[in-house]
């Protein structure tokens, strides 16, 4: 019999190649256990990995067997999995003459199964292109199970915050938790007119996503103030009406930084709810995940800020190994020269990496060819760079500051520095701002100094 780990890796690769799907953590666990001589039951696997048995038995496992059956081309179950994988591995290592000829004749057997995904927006849950950041995902999954969970995810725009939130919520759903996801990017400007207006919008959205009837007017008393009204509404209605924990995910809270008074009220409210989880059992059902792009520059008293409690997660850029892995998932393995050029140009920023790989596949052009014109207006980053340029046109103060950074590392005004970091344009090290990657350095140096 082949080594179990070899068969597991072979199966994972086969599913990705033949179906375009990437197995998640718990699917890999079930796969590995199913190949062992002494197999654990679904109940045992669920308990050991902190999942509900029903989710494993009726959701995860059936999907796994479906994917394996599709990849292998035969009906797969626990009984025949080992034999089928061993036979397929032997066939792959010793292809028939017909298979060899077909594989060498063009783009290869697997090309027809590859589905090109746009790099814009959240990476879908079923995508084979989601790159896990070492232990970050598993750390978040374990943390969200804790009664006082409060996870803070920080990273510049287009770094994967929303994709990580989606996976935390999906994991929460597997535990039969209720999930609520609010993106402040979707709120109209009128919502931010006052704390009262915003918190009514906030409470209404949570109520609807939980499938509860709105009783906001029954709990809202103008004499009590918006913060107390929200607290009473959550404690007296929402948390009492739900039997299982609630994961409240807040994406794009940077929007609030433009409204300091409102932001101060809301952040103090979140901190007060976190403190309630210490002593009030009903509040322990609330688990919070929030994502923001920059450090918080709104002054808040230490004991009233939600930004110094819970678990802090800062998403890193991709390493060269992760970029090479992602390229292979695109069926586009990189030479060392191409990998070095791509890392130098993009600094490992996930969106910039994915955009380059996407265009290389879509345009059927070598990556090295695309990178030659990457920093000019007609290059593959044209729309992205023009979007950043539009930001500078709308905020001349940011443009002036970035011009200074292009000349030499410099210490900037705190708010300006954080806004540039939010856009991914600078790194901040010891209060010094430096250009984050060669793409931005070359493009904007040409624009500002040669225009």
């Amino acid at each position: 019999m082949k080594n179990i780990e070899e068969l597991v890796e072979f199966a994972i690769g086969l599913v990705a190649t033949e179906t375009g799907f990437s197995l998640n953590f718990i699917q890999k666990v079930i796969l590995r256990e199913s190949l062992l001589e002494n197999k654990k039951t679904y109940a045992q696997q669920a308990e050991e990995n902190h999942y509900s048995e029903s989710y494993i038995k009726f959701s995860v496992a059936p999907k796994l067997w479906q994917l394996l059956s599709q990849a292998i081309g035969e009906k797969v179950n626990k009984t025949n999995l080992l034999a089928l994988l061993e036979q397929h591995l032997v066939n792959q290592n010793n292809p028939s003459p017909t298979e060899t000829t077909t594989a060498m004749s063009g783009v290869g057997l697997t090309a027809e199964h590859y589905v090109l995904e746009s790099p814009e927006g959240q990476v879908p849950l079923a995508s084979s292109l989601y790159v896990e950041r070492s232990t970050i995902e598993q750390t978040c999954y374990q943390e969200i199970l804790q009664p006082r969970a409060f996870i803070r995810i920080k990273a510049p725009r287009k770094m994967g915050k929303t994709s990580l939130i989606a996976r935390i919520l999906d994991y929460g759903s597997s535990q039969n938790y209720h999930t609520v996801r609010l993106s402040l990017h979707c709120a109209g400007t009128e919502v931010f007119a006052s704390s009262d207006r915003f918190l009514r919008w906030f409470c209404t959205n949570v109520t609807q996503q939980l499938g509860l009837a709105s009783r906001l007017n029954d709990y809202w008393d103008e004499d009590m103030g918006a913060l107390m009204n929200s607290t009473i509404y959550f404690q007296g209605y929402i948390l009492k009406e739900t039997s299982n924990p609630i994961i409240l995910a807040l994406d794009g809270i940077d929007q609030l930084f433009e409204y300091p008074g409102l932001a101060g009220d809301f952040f103090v409210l979140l901190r007060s709810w976190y403190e309630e989880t210490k002593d009030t059992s009903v509040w322990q059902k609330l688990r919070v995940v929030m994502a923001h792009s920059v450090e918080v520059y709104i002054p808040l008293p230490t004991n009233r800020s939600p930004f110094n409690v819970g678990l802090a997660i800062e998403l890193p850029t991709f390493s060269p190994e992760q970029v090479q892995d992602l390229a292979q998932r695109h069926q586009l393995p990189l030479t060392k020269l191409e990998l070095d050029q791509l890392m130098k140009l993009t600094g490992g920023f996930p969106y910039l990496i994915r955009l380059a790989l996407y265009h290389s596949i879509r345009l059927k052009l070598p990556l090295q060819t695309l990178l030659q014109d990457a920093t000019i207006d007609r290059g593959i980053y044209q729309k992205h760079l023009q979007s950043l340029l539009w930001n500078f046109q709308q905020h001349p103060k940011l443009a002036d500051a970035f011009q200074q950074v292009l000349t030499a590392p410099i210490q900037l005004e705190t708010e300006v520095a954080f806004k540039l970091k939010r856009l991914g344009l600078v790194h901040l090290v010891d209060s010094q701002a430096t250009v984050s990657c060669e793409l931005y350095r070359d493009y904007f140096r040409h624009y500002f100094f040669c225009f």
Side-chain angles (χ1 to χ4, degrees), residues 388-419:
L388 292 171
L389 189 57
W390 180 86
N391 265 286
F392 282 145
Q393 292 169 346
Q394 301 302 308
H395 305 95
K397 190 174 181 180
L398 290 184
D400 292 341
F402 192 61
Q403 285 186 62
Q404 297 178 56
V405 179
L406 286 171
T407 303
I410 189 174
Q411 185 168 352
L412 299 172
E413 178 188 337
T414 300
E415 183 176 341
V416 170
F418 287 164
K419 286 183 176 180

PDB file of all heavy atoms in Angstrom, residues 388-419:
ATOM      1  N   LEU A 388      -6.413  54.472  -7.985  1.00  0.00           N
ATOM      2  CA  LEU A 388      -5.571  55.133  -6.986  1.00  0.00           C
ATOM      3  C   LEU A 388      -5.318  56.591  -7.365  1.00  0.00           C
ATOM      4  O   LEU A 388      -5.320  57.485  -6.502  1.00  0.00           O
ATOM      5  CB  LEU A 388      -4.239  54.393  -6.858  1.00  0.00           C
ATOM      6  CG  LEU A 388      -4.315  52.986  -6.248  1.00  0.00           C
ATOM      7  CD1 LEU A 388      -2.972  52.272  -6.381  1.00  0.00           C
ATOM      8  CD2 LEU A 388      -4.728  53.053  -4.786  1.00  0.00           C
ATOM      9  N   LEU A 389      -5.137  56.820  -8.644  1.00  0.00           N
ATOM     10  CA  LEU A 389      -4.919  58.183  -9.125  1.00  0.00           C
ATOM     11  C   LEU A 389      -6.148  59.048  -8.851  1.00  0.00           C
ATOM     12  O   LEU A 389      -6.029  60.221  -8.456  1.00  0.00           O
ATOM     13  CB  LEU A 389      -4.604  58.156 -10.619  1.00  0.00           C
ATOM     14  CG  LEU A 389      -4.142  59.463 -11.258  1.00  0.00           C
ATOM     15  CD1 LEU A 389      -2.907  60.003 -10.566  1.00  0.00           C
ATOM     16  CD2 LEU A 389      -3.870  59.254 -12.755  1.00  0.00           C
ATOM     17  N   TRP A 390      -7.315  58.467  -9.026  1.00  0.00           N
ATOM     18  CA  TRP A 390      -8.559  59.203  -8.744  1.00  0.00           C
ATOM     19  C   TRP A 390      -8.601  59.589  -7.264  1.00  0.00           C
ATOM     20  O   TRP A 390      -9.033  60.695  -6.928  1.00  0.00           O
ATOM     21  CB  TRP A 390      -9.757  58.323  -9.086  1.00  0.00           C
ATOM     22  CG  TRP A 390     -11.078  58.995  -8.831  1.00  0.00           C
ATOM     23  CD1 TRP A 390     -11.772  59.816  -9.671  1.00  0.00           C
ATOM     24  CD2 TRP A 390     -11.864  58.908  -7.634  1.00  0.00           C
ATOM     25  NE1 TRP A 390     -12.939  60.247  -9.074  1.00  0.00           N
ATOM     26  CE2 TRP A 390     -13.024  59.708  -7.831  1.00  0.00           C
ATOM     27  CE3 TRP A 390     -11.709  58.225  -6.431  1.00  0.00           C
ATOM     28  CZ2 TRP A 390     -13.998  59.838  -6.849  1.00  0.00           C
ATOM     29  CZ3 TRP A 390     -12.687  58.370  -5.455  1.00  0.00           C
ATOM     30  CH2 TRP A 390     -13.820  59.153  -5.672  1.00  0.00           C
ATOM     31  N   ASN A 391      -8.157  58.689  -6.395  1.00  0.00           N
ATOM     32  CA  ASN A 391      -8.104  59.010  -4.964  1.00  0.00           C
ATOM     33  C   ASN A 391      -7.218  60.218  -4.704  1.00  0.00           C
ATOM     34  O   ASN A 391      -7.540  61.085  -3.896  1.00  0.00           O
ATOM     35  CB  ASN A 391      -7.571  57.804  -4.184  1.00  0.00           C
ATOM     36  CG  ASN A 391      -8.679  56.929  -3.636  1.00  0.00           C
ATOM     37  OD1 ASN A 391      -9.353  57.274  -2.679  1.00  0.00           O
ATOM     38  ND2 ASN A 391      -8.878  55.785  -4.275  1.00  0.00           N
ATOM     39  N   PHE A 392      -6.087  60.281  -5.388  1.00  0.00           N
ATOM     40  CA  PHE A 392      -5.182  61.416  -5.221  1.00  0.00           C
ATOM     41  C   PHE A 392      -5.827  62.702  -5.720  1.00  0.00           C
ATOM     42  O   PHE A 392      -5.660  63.769  -5.122  1.00  0.00           O
ATOM     43  CB  PHE A 392      -3.880  61.169  -5.982  1.00  0.00           C
ATOM     44  CG  PHE A 392      -2.940  60.230  -5.274  1.00  0.00           C
ATOM     45  CD1 PHE A 392      -2.151  59.348  -6.003  1.00  0.00           C
ATOM     46  CD2 PHE A 392      -2.838  60.218  -3.892  1.00  0.00           C
ATOM     47  CE1 PHE A 392      -1.280  58.488  -5.364  1.00  0.00           C
ATOM     48  CE2 PHE A 392      -1.975  59.364  -3.241  1.00  0.00           C
ATOM     49  CZ  PHE A 392      -1.192  58.492  -3.975  1.00  0.00           C
ATOM     50  N   GLN A 393      -6.574  62.605  -6.803  1.00  0.00           N
ATOM     51  CA  GLN A 393      -7.228  63.799  -7.349  1.00  0.00           C
ATOM     52  C   GLN A 393      -8.309  64.318  -6.411  1.00  0.00           C
ATOM     53  O   GLN A 393      -8.542  65.524  -6.326  1.00  0.00           O
ATOM     54  CB  GLN A 393      -7.814  63.478  -8.730  1.00  0.00           C
ATOM     55  CG  GLN A 393      -6.738  63.222  -9.785  1.00  0.00           C
ATOM     56  CD  GLN A 393      -7.307  62.639 -11.070  1.00  0.00           C
ATOM     57  OE1 GLN A 393      -8.456  62.174 -11.108  1.00  0.00           O
ATOM     58  NE2 GLN A 393      -6.509  62.635 -12.130  1.00  0.00           N
ATOM     59  N   GLN A 394      -8.958  63.388  -5.708  1.00  0.00           N
ATOM     60  CA  GLN A 394     -10.000  63.787  -4.754  1.00  0.00           C
ATOM     61  C   GLN A 394      -9.409  64.266  -3.428  1.00  0.00           C
ATOM     62  O   GLN A 394     -10.049  65.017  -2.693  1.00  0.00           O
ATOM     63  CB  GLN A 394     -10.952  62.608  -4.484  1.00  0.00           C
ATOM     64  CG  GLN A 394     -11.646  62.061  -5.708  1.00  0.00           C
ATOM     65  CD  GLN A 394     -12.454  63.118  -6.439  1.00  0.00           C
ATOM     66  OE1 GLN A 394     -13.279  63.810  -5.816  1.00  0.00           O
ATOM     67  NE2 GLN A 394     -12.229  63.260  -7.735  1.00  0.00           N
ATOM     68  N   HIS A 395      -8.191  63.848  -3.127  1.00  0.00           N
ATOM     69  CA  HIS A 395      -7.549  64.189  -1.847  1.00  0.00           C
ATOM     70  C   HIS A 395      -6.127  64.685  -2.103  1.00  0.00           C
ATOM     71  O   HIS A 395      -5.153  63.926  -1.945  1.00  0.00           O
ATOM     72  CB  HIS A 395      -7.536  62.984  -0.920  1.00  0.00           C
ATOM     73  CG  HIS A 395      -8.895  62.377  -0.677  1.00  0.00           C
ATOM     74  ND1 HIS A 395      -9.388  61.310  -1.411  1.00  0.00           N
ATOM     75  CD2 HIS A 395      -9.869  62.709   0.213  1.00  0.00           C
ATOM     76  CE1 HIS A 395     -10.599  61.012  -0.980  1.00  0.00           C
ATOM     77  NE2 HIS A 395     -10.912  61.848  -0.003  1.00  0.00           N
ATOM     78  N   PRO A 396      -5.986  65.943  -2.505  1.00  0.00           N
ATOM     79  CA  PRO A 396      -4.663  66.503  -2.835  1.00  0.00           C
ATOM     80  C   PRO A 396      -3.639  66.370  -1.706  1.00  0.00           C
ATOM     81  O   PRO A 396      -2.441  66.236  -1.962  1.00  0.00           O
ATOM     82  CB  PRO A 396      -4.973  67.973  -3.128  1.00  0.00           C
ATOM     83  CG  PRO A 396      -6.421  67.976  -3.542  1.00  0.00           C
ATOM     84  CD  PRO A 396      -7.063  66.915  -2.722  1.00  0.00           C
ATOM     85  N   LYS A 397      -4.116  66.362  -0.473  1.00  0.00           N
ATOM     86  CA  LYS A 397      -3.191  66.244   0.659  1.00  0.00           C
ATOM     87  C   LYS A 397      -2.484  64.884   0.633  1.00  0.00           C
ATOM     88  O   LYS A 397      -1.292  64.779   0.948  1.00  0.00           O
ATOM     89  CB  LYS A 397      -3.958  66.434   1.970  1.00  0.00           C
ATOM     90  CG  LYS A 397      -3.064  66.564   3.197  1.00  0.00           C
ATOM     91  CD  LYS A 397      -3.901  66.887   4.428  1.00  0.00           C
ATOM     92  CE  LYS A 397      -3.018  67.055   5.663  1.00  0.00           C
ATOM     93  NZ  LYS A 397      -3.838  67.376   6.865  1.00  0.00           N
ATOM     94  N   LEU A 398      -3.222  63.851   0.247  1.00  0.00           N
ATOM     95  CA  LEU A 398      -2.625  62.518   0.139  1.00  0.00           C
ATOM     96  C   LEU A 398      -1.614  62.481  -1.003  1.00  0.00           C
ATOM     97  O   LEU A 398      -0.538  61.881  -0.890  1.00  0.00           O
ATOM     98  CB  LEU A 398      -3.698  61.455  -0.100  1.00  0.00           C
ATOM     99  CG  LEU A 398      -4.659  61.131   1.044  1.00  0.00           C
ATOM    100  CD1 LEU A 398      -5.572  59.980   0.642  1.00  0.00           C
ATOM    101  CD2 LEU A 398      -3.905  60.780   2.307  1.00  0.00           C
ATOM    102  N   ALA A 399      -1.969  63.141  -2.120  1.00  0.00           N
ATOM    103  CA  ALA A 399      -1.066  63.176  -3.268  1.00  0.00           C
ATOM    104  C   ALA A 399       0.241  63.870  -2.916  1.00  0.00           C
ATOM    105  O   ALA A 399       1.332  63.390  -3.263  1.00  0.00           O
ATOM    106  CB  ALA A 399      -1.747  63.878  -4.433  1.00  0.00           C
ATOM    107  N   ASP A 400       0.139  64.978  -2.221  1.00  0.00           N
ATOM    108  CA  ASP A 400       1.345  65.719  -1.820  1.00  0.00           C
ATOM    109  C   ASP A 400       2.229  64.871  -0.911  1.00  0.00           C
ATOM    110  O   ASP A 400       3.458  64.844  -1.056  1.00  0.00           O
ATOM    111  CB  ASP A 400       0.963  67.018  -1.104  1.00  0.00           C
ATOM    112  CG  ASP A 400       0.296  68.021  -2.048  1.00  0.00           C
ATOM    113  OD1 ASP A 400       0.458  67.868  -3.277  1.00  0.00           O
ATOM    114  OD2 ASP A 400      -0.376  68.941  -1.549  1.00  0.00           O
ATOM    115  N   ALA A 401       1.586  64.164   0.015  1.00  0.00           N
ATOM    116  CA  ALA A 401       2.349  63.343   0.950  1.00  0.00           C
ATOM    117  C   ALA A 401       3.043  62.185   0.229  1.00  0.00           C
ATOM    118  O   ALA A 401       4.208  61.876   0.493  1.00  0.00           O
ATOM    119  CB  ALA A 401       1.430  62.796   2.041  1.00  0.00           C
ATOM    120  N   PHE A 402       2.323  61.564  -0.704  1.00  0.00           N
ATOM    121  CA  PHE A 402       2.912  60.421  -1.407  1.00  0.00           C
ATOM    122  C   PHE A 402       4.064  60.858  -2.314  1.00  0.00           C
ATOM    123  O   PHE A 402       5.037  60.108  -2.483  1.00  0.00           O
ATOM    124  CB  PHE A 402       1.851  59.674  -2.204  1.00  0.00           C
ATOM    125  CG  PHE A 402       2.315  58.327  -2.710  1.00  0.00           C
ATOM    126  CD1 PHE A 402       2.694  57.334  -1.823  1.00  0.00           C
ATOM    127  CD2 PHE A 402       2.388  58.054  -4.061  1.00  0.00           C
ATOM    128  CE1 PHE A 402       3.127  56.097  -2.270  1.00  0.00           C
ATOM    129  CE2 PHE A 402       2.829  56.823  -4.525  1.00  0.00           C
ATOM    130  CZ  PHE A 402       3.194  55.836  -3.617  1.00  0.00           C
ATOM    131  N   GLN A 403       3.972  62.043  -2.873  1.00  0.00           N
ATOM    132  CA  GLN A 403       5.099  62.561  -3.667  1.00  0.00           C
ATOM    133  C   GLN A 403       6.361  62.655  -2.807  1.00  0.00           C
ATOM    134  O   GLN A 403       7.458  62.356  -3.270  1.00  0.00           O
ATOM    135  CB  GLN A 403       4.742  63.935  -4.230  1.00  0.00           C
ATOM    136  CG  GLN A 403       3.772  63.894  -5.400  1.00  0.00           C
ATOM    137  CD  GLN A 403       3.565  65.270  -6.007  1.00  0.00           C
ATOM    138  OE1 GLN A 403       4.509  65.880  -6.507  1.00  0.00           O
ATOM    139  NE2 GLN A 403       2.342  65.754  -5.964  1.00  0.00           N
ATOM    140  N   GLN A 404       6.180  63.060  -1.563  1.00  0.00           N
ATOM    141  CA  GLN A 404       7.335  63.142  -0.665  1.00  0.00           C
ATOM    142  C   GLN A 404       7.914  61.753  -0.381  1.00  0.00           C
ATOM    143  O   GLN A 404       9.132  61.567  -0.342  1.00  0.00           O
ATOM    144  CB  GLN A 404       6.919  63.805   0.648  1.00  0.00           C
ATOM    145  CG  GLN A 404       6.447  65.245   0.505  1.00  0.00           C
ATOM    146  CD  GLN A 404       6.012  65.816   1.844  1.00  0.00           C
ATOM    147  OE1 GLN A 404       6.772  65.828   2.808  1.00  0.00           O
ATOM    148  NE2 GLN A 404       4.776  66.286   1.920  1.00  0.00           N
ATOM    149  N   VAL A 405       7.030  60.768  -0.197  1.00  0.00           N
ATOM    150  CA  VAL A 405       7.486  59.404   0.075  1.00  0.00           C
ATOM    151  C   VAL A 405       8.243  58.844  -1.125  1.00  0.00           C
ATOM    152  O   VAL A 405       9.209  58.092  -0.975  1.00  0.00           O
ATOM    153  CB  VAL A 405       6.290  58.493   0.430  1.00  0.00           C
ATOM    154  CG1 VAL A 405       6.769  57.064   0.689  1.00  0.00           C
ATOM    155  CG2 VAL A 405       5.549  59.020   1.644  1.00  0.00           C
ATOM    156  N   LEU A 406       7.814  59.216  -2.340  1.00  0.00           N
ATOM    157  CA  LEU A 406       8.491  58.747  -3.545  1.00  0.00           C
ATOM    158  C   LEU A 406       9.936  59.244  -3.598  1.00  0.00           C
ATOM    159  O   LEU A 406      10.807  58.585  -4.172  1.00  0.00           O
ATOM    160  CB  LEU A 406       7.742  59.232  -4.797  1.00  0.00           C
ATOM    161  CG  LEU A 406       6.421  58.526  -5.119  1.00  0.00           C
ATOM    162  CD1 LEU A 406       5.695  59.260  -6.232  1.00  0.00           C
ATOM    163  CD2 LEU A 406       6.657  57.077  -5.516  1.00  0.00           C
ATOM    164  N   THR A 407      10.181  60.385  -2.988  1.00  0.00           N
ATOM    165  CA  THR A 407      11.526  60.963  -3.003  1.00  0.00           C
ATOM    166  C   THR A 407      12.434  60.288  -1.987  1.00  0.00           C
ATOM    167  O   THR A 407      13.593  59.979  -2.271  1.00  0.00           O
ATOM    168  CB  THR A 407      11.453  62.471  -2.710  1.00  0.00           C
ATOM    169  OG1 THR A 407      10.587  63.091  -3.665  1.00  0.00           O
ATOM    170  CG2 THR A 407      12.820  63.105  -2.785  1.00  0.00           C
ATOM    171  N   ALA A 408      11.894  60.037  -0.779  1.00  0.00           N
ATOM    172  CA  ALA A 408      12.681  59.403   0.277  1.00  0.00           C
ATOM    173  C   ALA A 408      11.750  59.013   1.423  1.00  0.00           C
ATOM    174  O   ALA A 408      10.684  59.623   1.592  1.00  0.00           O
ATOM    175  CB  ALA A 408      13.760  60.354   0.792  1.00  0.00           C
ATOM    176  N   PRO A 409      12.105  57.990   2.215  1.00  0.00           N
ATOM    177  CA  PRO A 409      11.299  57.649   3.395  1.00  0.00           C
ATOM    178  C   PRO A 409      11.129  58.872   4.281  1.00  0.00           C
ATOM    179  O   PRO A 409      12.070  59.658   4.469  1.00  0.00           O
ATOM    180  CB  PRO A 409      12.137  56.568   4.089  1.00  0.00           C
ATOM    181  CG  PRO A 409      12.945  55.967   2.988  1.00  0.00           C
ATOM    182  CD  PRO A 409      13.262  57.108   2.058  1.00  0.00           C
ATOM    183  N   ILE A 410       9.926  59.036   4.804  1.00  0.00           N
ATOM    184  CA  ILE A 410       9.640  60.260   5.546  1.00  0.00           C
ATOM    185  C   ILE A 410       8.585  59.981   6.617  1.00  0.00           C
ATOM    186  O   ILE A 410       7.753  59.077   6.471  1.00  0.00           O
ATOM    187  CB  ILE A 410       9.148  61.374   4.582  1.00  0.00           C
ATOM    188  CG1 ILE A 410       9.049  62.710   5.314  1.00  0.00           C
ATOM    189  CG2 ILE A 410       7.833  60.993   3.946  1.00  0.00           C
ATOM    190  CD1 ILE A 410       8.715  63.875   4.380  1.00  0.00           C
ATOM    191  N   GLN A 411       8.604  60.754   7.684  1.00  0.00           N
ATOM    192  CA  GLN A 411       7.579  60.656   8.718  1.00  0.00           C
ATOM    193  C   GLN A 411       6.443  61.586   8.345  1.00  0.00           C
ATOM    194  O   GLN A 411       6.643  62.789   8.144  1.00  0.00           O
ATOM    195  CB  GLN A 411       8.147  61.025  10.082  1.00  0.00           C
ATOM    196  CG  GLN A 411       7.149  60.821  11.218  1.00  0.00           C
ATOM    197  CD  GLN A 411       7.810  60.914  12.586  1.00  0.00           C
ATOM    198  OE1 GLN A 411       9.027  60.979  12.682  1.00  0.00           O
ATOM    199  NE2 GLN A 411       7.001  60.917  13.637  1.00  0.00           N
ATOM    200  N   LEU A 412       5.235  61.042   8.253  1.00  0.00           N
ATOM    201  CA  LEU A 412       4.070  61.808   7.822  1.00  0.00           C
ATOM    202  C   LEU A 412       3.118  62.054   8.991  1.00  0.00           C
ATOM    203  O   LEU A 412       3.195  61.385  10.032  1.00  0.00           O
ATOM    204  CB  LEU A 412       3.318  61.048   6.725  1.00  0.00           C
ATOM    205  CG  LEU A 412       4.078  60.753   5.430  1.00  0.00           C
ATOM    206  CD1 LEU A 412       3.251  59.828   4.541  1.00  0.00           C
ATOM    207  CD2 LEU A 412       4.391  62.048   4.680  1.00  0.00           C
ATOM    208  N   GLU A 413       2.216  62.996   8.795  1.00  0.00           N
ATOM    209  CA  GLU A 413       1.133  63.211   9.745  1.00  0.00           C
ATOM    210  C   GLU A 413       0.372  61.898   9.906  1.00  0.00           C
ATOM    211  O   GLU A 413       0.122  61.179   8.928  1.00  0.00           O
ATOM    212  CB  GLU A 413       0.212  64.303   9.211  1.00  0.00           C
ATOM    213  CG  GLU A 413      -1.000  64.596  10.071  1.00  0.00           C
ATOM    214  CD  GLU A 413      -1.958  65.550   9.381  1.00  0.00           C
ATOM    215  OE1 GLU A 413      -1.510  66.308   8.488  1.00  0.00           O
ATOM    216  OE2 GLU A 413      -3.158  65.501   9.718  1.00  0.00           O
ATOM    217  N   THR A 414       0.003  61.563  11.126  1.00  0.00           N
ATOM    218  CA  THR A 414      -0.556  60.245  11.432  1.00  0.00           C
ATOM    219  C   THR A 414      -1.732  59.874  10.548  1.00  0.00           C
ATOM    220  O   THR A 414      -1.763  58.797   9.932  1.00  0.00           O
ATOM    221  CB  THR A 414      -0.997  60.193  12.906  1.00  0.00           C
ATOM    222  OG1 THR A 414       0.138  60.424  13.737  1.00  0.00           O
ATOM    223  CG2 THR A 414      -1.596  58.826  13.234  1.00  0.00           C
ATOM    224  N   GLU A 415      -2.725  60.753  10.434  1.00  0.00           N
ATOM    225  CA  GLU A 415      -3.922  60.424   9.657  1.00  0.00           C
ATOM    226  C   GLU A 415      -3.588  60.201   8.189  1.00  0.00           C
ATOM    227  O   GLU A 415      -4.095  59.271   7.552  1.00  0.00           O
ATOM    228  CB  GLU A 415      -4.963  61.540   9.802  1.00  0.00           C
ATOM    229  CG  GLU A 415      -6.268  61.239   9.074  1.00  0.00           C
ATOM    230  CD  GLU A 415      -7.334  62.298   9.302  1.00  0.00           C
ATOM    231  OE1 GLU A 415      -7.208  63.071  10.281  1.00  0.00           O
ATOM    232  OE2 GLU A 415      -8.283  62.362   8.500  1.00  0.00           O
ATOM    233  N   VAL A 416      -2.716  61.033   7.642  1.00  0.00           N
ATOM    234  CA  VAL A 416      -2.324  60.905   6.233  1.00  0.00           C
ATOM    235  C   VAL A 416      -1.581  59.587   6.014  1.00  0.00           C
ATOM    236  O   VAL A 416      -1.832  58.865   5.045  1.00  0.00           O
ATOM    237  CB  VAL A 416      -1.441  62.097   5.798  1.00  0.00           C
ATOM    238  CG1 VAL A 416      -0.844  61.846   4.416  1.00  0.00           C
ATOM    239  CG2 VAL A 416      -2.263  63.375   5.796  1.00  0.00           C
ATOM    240  N   ALA A 417      -0.668  59.271   6.918  1.00  0.00           N
ATOM    241  CA  ALA A 417       0.100  58.032   6.797  1.00  0.00           C
ATOM    242  C   ALA A 417      -0.821  56.818   6.818  1.00  0.00           C
ATOM    243  O   ALA A 417      -0.661  55.882   6.014  1.00  0.00           O
ATOM    244  CB  ALA A 417       1.119  57.941   7.924  1.00  0.00           C
ATOM    245  N   PHE A 418      -1.793  56.813   7.713  1.00  0.00           N
ATOM    246  CA  PHE A 418      -2.705  55.677   7.812  1.00  0.00           C
ATOM    247  C   PHE A 418      -3.590  55.551   6.576  1.00  0.00           C
ATOM    248  O   PHE A 418      -3.911  54.440   6.132  1.00  0.00           O
ATOM    249  CB  PHE A 418      -3.571  55.799   9.070  1.00  0.00           C
ATOM    250  CG  PHE A 418      -2.810  55.520  10.339  1.00  0.00           C
ATOM    251  CD1 PHE A 418      -3.325  55.898  11.568  1.00  0.00           C
ATOM    252  CD2 PHE A 418      -1.585  54.880  10.314  1.00  0.00           C
ATOM    253  CE1 PHE A 418      -2.626  55.641  12.745  1.00  0.00           C
ATOM    254  CE2 PHE A 418      -0.876  54.610  11.478  1.00  0.00           C
ATOM    255  CZ  PHE A 418      -1.406  54.990  12.692  1.00  0.00           C
ATOM    256  N   LYS A 419      -3.995  56.676   6.013  1.00  0.00           N
ATOM    257  CA  LYS A 419      -4.830  56.624   4.805  1.00  0.00           C
ATOM    258  C   LYS A 419      -4.040  56.086   3.616  1.00  0.00           C
ATOM    259  O   LYS A 419      -4.576  55.346   2.784  1.00  0.00           O
ATOM    260  CB  LYS A 419      -5.410  58.004   4.503  1.00  0.00           C
ATOM    261  CG  LYS A 419      -6.528  58.400   5.451  1.00  0.00           C
ATOM    262  CD  LYS A 419      -7.138  59.743   5.088  1.00  0.00           C
ATOM    263  CE  LYS A 419      -8.312  60.066   6.005  1.00  0.00           C
ATOM    264  NZ  LYS A 419      -8.933  61.380   5.681  1.00  0.00           N
TER     265      LYS A 419
END
